[in-house]
Structures are given as C-alpha cells and as structure tokens.
Amino acid sequence: MNCLFEEKQKFTQWWLWVILLSFPIMAFGPFDDNPINYKYVLIGFAIPLLFYLFELKVKVNAEGLHYQFFPFHFKSHTIKAEEIEKIEALQYKPLAEYGGWGIRYGFKGKAYNTSGNFGVKVHLTNGRNILFGSQKHKELAKALKQIRKQ
C-alpha cells in the first residue's frame, strides 16, 4: 500500500546519553584493591545498548496508523482508519502530562514518545486516546486526516 507518512525515532537527548554512558564507567569503580565485578560491567554496558536499540516507528497508509516501539513490540500494531474519531496536532508537556518518555500511561491517556514535546493525539471511537510523539507532528496529522476522508 502507498505510504503517506513514515517516521522512525530514537532517544536522542544529550543529557540522557550522558547519564547512560556513565554506567559503564561506574561499573569499573571503585578504583581500589577490590577486583572488578563483571556482573556490574555487563549491566553497565547492557543498559546503554538497550536504549540504543529502542525505536519508535510510525507509518500511515490507507489502511490506518501502524506503530511499533521496538523492543517492546516485535510486530507493528494497527489503528484502522475507521477507528479514528479525531486527530489533534499539539505541543504537550511529556513529564507533567505523561510522566516522561517511552511508553507512558497518564491521566490524559497512553503515549508513545522518544523525545521532544510535539505530537499527535489520536482520539479513538471507543473513547480512548493515544498520543504519538513526533518530530513531524503536522505532517503526521495531515496524513491521518487524509485517510479518514477516504
């Protein structure tokens, strides 16, 4: 099917990577006469590697909105066009409204985001809503509105 919109996002916040990359360094300490505990070294390298693998994929085609947050979702999930009631491109507060980034559950619904504070809130016909963080939130909203008219 013809793809109207596609975006892949990763965690790119510089402050997050400073914290994550400090784990391997801390795993080798304290620097005294004690031998290195290789369990801590393994964990210290595994945590940044895991964050490097995280990726949010969002795609829109005539069938609907397809999303996957790897490695939590091994396959893509679909919201069919007829299940979408309303689309809202917006600026939001990730920490205050959803408790941060990632797959989040807040008072305002569910959110999938990796960085930034722009996104598209998709209101579903079942009364629920899902926010998708996006660096191209206006293009995503436009593509979703286009498939609802078909």
Side-chain angles (χ1 to χ4, degrees):
M1 280 190 200
N2 191 16
C3 185
L4 300 172
F5 176 86
E6 189 169 8
E7 183 178 25
K8 294 178 182 178
Q9 299 179 69
K10 294 178 100 36
F11 287 101
T12 57
Q13 299 92 327
W14 67 268
W15 55 267
L16 174 65
W17 284 102
V18 167
I19 294 168
L20 290 171
L21 293 175
S22 70
F23 290 141
I25 295 165
M26 290 187 301
F28 285 104
F31 299 102
D32 54 17
D33 293 334
N34 294 327
I36 294 171
N37 187 331
Y38 289 101
K39 278 192 285 186
Y40 296 134
V41 173
L42 181 64
I43 292 169
F45 281 97
I47 292 171
L49 177 63
L50 184 63
F51 270 81
Y52 177 76
L53 294 174
F54 288 156
E55 184 175 58
L56 174 61
K57 296 177 188 176
V58 177
K59 187 165 106 175
V60 177
N61 62 21
E63 186 182 315
L65 170 73
H66 309 276
Y67 64 96
Q68 178 183 15
F69 203 129
F70 184 82
F72 300 105
H73 303 147
F74 288 115
K75 61 180 186 138
S76 181
H77 294 267
T78 300
I79 299 173
K80 294 180 182 173
E82 57 270 13
E83 296 174 325
I84 300 172
E85 187 173 304
K86 181 180 160 190
I87 295 122
E88 187 180 359
L90 49 78
Q91 185 172 8
Y92 66 104
K93 298 174 183 165
L95 285 170
E97 295 177 28
Y98 294 96
W101 295 270
I103 299 175
R104 312 302 298 181
Y105 301 88
F107 293 113
K108 296 195 173 209
K110 193 173 189 178
Y112 293 93
N113 55 19
T114 59
S115 63
N117 60 346
F118 290 99
V120 174
K121 188 178 277 191
V122 179
H123 298 266
L124 304 174
T125 55
N126 66 9
R128 294 185 177 160
N129 64 68
I130 304 174
L131 176 100
F132 292 93
S134 176
Q135 305 307 306
K136 304 182 219 172
H137 65 294
K138 290 180 182 175
E139 293 94 332
L140 174 55
K142 183 179 175 183
L144 287 169
K145 287 177 183 175
Q146 187 176 340
I147 66 166
R148 282 192 59 230
K149 293 177 183 177
Q150 293 178 355

